[in-house]
Amino acid sequence: MSVLTSLPEWKELSKIAESVKSAHMRDWFASDGERAEKMSLSACGIYLDYSKNRVNEAALSSLFDLARACNIETIRTNMFEGEQINSTEGRAVLHTALRNFSDRPVMVDGKDVMPEVHATLEKMKGFTESIHSGEHKGYTGKPIKHIVAIGIGGSFLGPKIMTEALKPHTVDAVKVHFVANVDGCHIHDVLSGLNFEETLVVMSSKSFTTQETLQNTLTAKDWFLKSGGTQQDIAKHFVAVSSNVKAATDFGISEDNIFPMWDWVGGRYSLWSAIGLPISLALGFDNFKALLEGAFEMDTHFTTAPLEENMPVLLALLGVWYRNFFDAQSHVLLPYYHYLRGLPAYVQQLDMESNGKEVTQAGDSVDYPTGPIIWGSEGTNGQHSFHQLIHQGSGIIPADFMLPLNVPNQDDTHHAMLASNCFGQTQALMQGKSFDACYADLDGKGLDDAERKRLAAHKTMPGNKPSNTFLFDSLTPKTLGALVAMYEHKVFVQGVIWNLNSFDQWGVELGKVLGNQVLAGIQGEASKDDFDASTQQLIAKFRAANAPK
Ligand SMILES: O=P(O)(O)OC[C@H]1O[C@H](O)[C@H](O)[C@@H](O)[C@@H]1O
């Protein structure tokens, strides 16, 4: 038995879960007129109503006991103070230093990293302004009008999704295009519409070893050279963001054009670093800075609010409750705001790459479920497809609904409909519709009793399906920063409870290595014996289809 499942707090929660499973939330709402008010929380411009969760006071209080028993507060301090909590890579975890607007120094190996952080922000600001003002020109003297941002994973999802979410704040001076996949269709589609004289490539790779990003950059460089640019002109059209400055200069990017980042920033936590340069170029540096400020506010809330009023802690505990005591396999994110449609994909990487692990910090196998599957998409679209399974499927899928109360340039009727669908779904999930109500609806329809009962069973909705609802005034850069940091800290707290290293990603690393090995096989540069029979067969098929004719 693991340390976690042997804790008295864990055993207590197992007992409470059994009694809660036989209760229905609609009865709790009926018997407690203050439930909604009591179970709401506001922080950093985000209002959270968590009353539609299958928790009573006993469950909540034991969940907070569990958090304390797992030393959340101490490990949180360790993270913020730069201890090497990424124990398998011997690294500190300091994305919070990137948005530290206090005067507090942040020490890594005895050195304050804040001066470097500030210098990089200044460099980003200056560069953004020189592009927007037209001062930085392409080699033929034309201003830059298009940015091609190349990166993948954390070097893509954060910049792309934040830029998309803040579309109403986009500047007119440039248009930012993102390319991630090594599938050549994407880069060719993007480049084919652009004038190379007015294009700047921002290549983002923390490690500077990622196959997709290197290849897409080579393709862009080739396009630039074939279009008429020369090797010397590259400096005006290619910049890189990387912690591996040597590899970037070896690749041909001049040192002046490299924006640094550091190994204490994980890829999926890197949008706050110079990896966010495309955000700054798309929205202006002030909006990028506001994103950081919002995240800093959430950091302050996370480090100072009592656990019971701490939004990320509460969300993490609710997630643990459903994952470990209700066998929930997944968690769905439902932004009711078109521009925020990418958030589920962002949180998917954040959560699944962080807590998709099955060994503890000590290297022992866990005997409890860990990170759930994260998925979702924008409302209302999902209501006409996968919501069916959330309402009537056989398991429970906790849901995060989110809605801005105001949206720019929008027709009131559309927004009212959007909001009513969002709230209506949370109500339906919680209340359900009883068999008796469905049976009554079928009165007078000319059905015999057996048929009426059969149909009523199909139409019955059990309800008791949990959801959180997040509201914000409007999705400003600051609120978005706070929202993303909230999910980061939620994932951190869950990782602490499950005793995981949430900051490595060995499973993904393996994919990078294998991809290169198979490429050698496809290019005829590896022995057949390096591959299993199935992979050999697939390689042979590919080679046959691509053999010179
Ligand atoms: O920025 P890079 O070094 O190119 O890495 C890009 C991505 O690579 C891997 O897939 C990692 O799992 C991600 O966390 C990372 O964001």
Side-chain angles (χ1 to χ4, degrees), residues 79 93 114 148 159 201 206 211 247 285 314 362 402 453 478:
M79 173 169 78
V93 174
M114 289 315 299
V148 176
V201 174
K206 176 183 166 185
Q211 185 196 63
F285 182 79
L314 173 69
M402 51 198 83
K453 282 186 175 144
K478 221 170 160 184

Side-chain angles (χ1 to χ4, degrees), residues 93-352:
V93 174
L94 278 174
H95 44 281
T96 51
L98 302 167
R99 57 218 193 192
N100 169 24
F101 286 95
S102 75
D103 295 334
R104 184 177 62 86
V106 179
M107 310 302 283
V108 177
D109 298 330
K111 183 179 157 215
D112 181 12
V113 298
M114 289 315 299
E116 278 180 81
V117 169
H118 292 142
T120 307
L121 282 173
E122 276 307 305
K123 184 167 170 158
M124 289 171 74
K125 181 174 191 268
F127 188 70
T128 303
E129 286 169 0
S130 72
I131 295 283
H132 289 174
S133 66
E135 183 195 329
H136 177 117
K137 294 189 173 28
Y139 79 99
T140 57
K142 293 190 175 165
I144 298 295
K145 296 268 176 238
H146 294 275
I147 310 290
V148 176
I150 300 176
I152 200 163
S155 299
F156 158 69
L157 287 164
K160 165 138 193 306
I161 289 165
M162 301 314 133
T163 300
E164 203 172 79
L166 296 170
K167 188 169 180 215
H169 300 267
T170 308
V171 300
D172 293 330
V174 290
K175 184 161 171 37
V176 182
H177 313 258
F178 290 92
V179 178
N181 198 339
V182 77
D183 182 339
C185 305
H186 198 180
I187 185 111
H188 287 115
D189 275 3
V190 168
L191 295 180
S192 65
L194 303 182
N195 176 353
F196 68 101
E197 295 167 83
E198 299 176 336
T199 301
L200 175 89
V201 174
V202 179
M203 189 266 198
S204 302
S205 176
K206 176 183 166 185
S207 60
F208 220 91
T209 59
T210 306
Q211 185 196 63
E212 291 92 331
T213 304
L214 293 175
Q215 185 54 44
N216 279 326
T217 308
L218 282 174
T219 300
K221 192 169 155 187
D222 202 40
W223 165 79
F224 178 77
L225 294 174
K226 283 196 179 127
S227 306
T230 68
Q231 200 66 38
Q232 289 94 287
D233 304 325
I234 280 182
K236 291 204 152 67
H237 293 266
F238 284 75
V239 300
V241 183
S242 186
S243 65
N244 191 347
V245 175
K246 162 126 189 14
T249 46
D250 290 352
F251 186 82
I253 311 244
S254 74
E255 204 158 341
D256 288 349
N257 284 357
I258 300 171
F259 291 79
M261 61 179 296
W262 305 275
D263 71 359
W264 40 263
V265 183
R268 53 193 170 277
Y269 300 88
S270 64
L271 80 92
W272 322 102
S273 72
I275 293 286
L277 184 62
I279 307 176
S280 175
L281 290 166
L283 311 173
F285 182 79
D286 288 348
N287 282 323
F288 178 69
K289 192 171 166 216
L291 195 71
L292 302 187
E293 283 164 353
F296 175 63
E297 267 191 31
M298 184 53 76
D299 294 343
T300 309
H301 167 76
F302 177 54
T303 47
T304 56
L307 296 192
E308 282 75 5
E309 291 157 33
N310 197 309
M311 208 175 268
V313 174
L314 173 69
L315 294 169
L317 292 172
L318 290 169
V320 166
W321 178 240
Y322 295 123
R323 184 77 183 107
N324 297 108
F325 301 97
F326 286 70
D327 199 28
Q329 311 283 319
S330 78
H331 185 102
V332 67
L333 265 67
L334 301 166
Y336 276 63
Y337 184 44
H338 179 65
Y339 295 144
L340 199 51
R341 64 193 178 279
L343 191 73
Y346 182 81
V347 177
Q348 193 170 60
Q349 186 202 13
L350 172 65
D351 198 320
M352 293 172 74

Side-chain angles (χ1 to χ4, degrees), residues 46 51 62 146 158 221 257 272 291 335 365 424 465 501:
I46 301 169
S51 61
S62 292
H146 294 275
K221 192 169 155 187
N257 284 357
W272 322 102
L291 195 71
S365 293
K465 308 281 186 185
N501 178 3

Side-chain angles (χ1 to χ4, degrees), residues 32-72:
D32 180 359
E34 290 172 1
R35 181 176 171 89
E37 206 185 319
K38 280 193 287 195
M39 298 176 73
S40 306
L41 200 60
S42 290
C44 315
I46 301 169
Y47 170 83
L48 163 65
D49 177 341
Y50 63 98
S51 61
K52 293 187 183 101
N53 274 291
R54 293 176 72 174
V55 279
N56 53 16
E57 275 174 27
L60 278 174
S61 131
S62 292
L63 283 165
F64 288 112
D65 290 345
L66 177 72
R68 291 199 169 86
C70 293
N71 298 318
I72 295 292

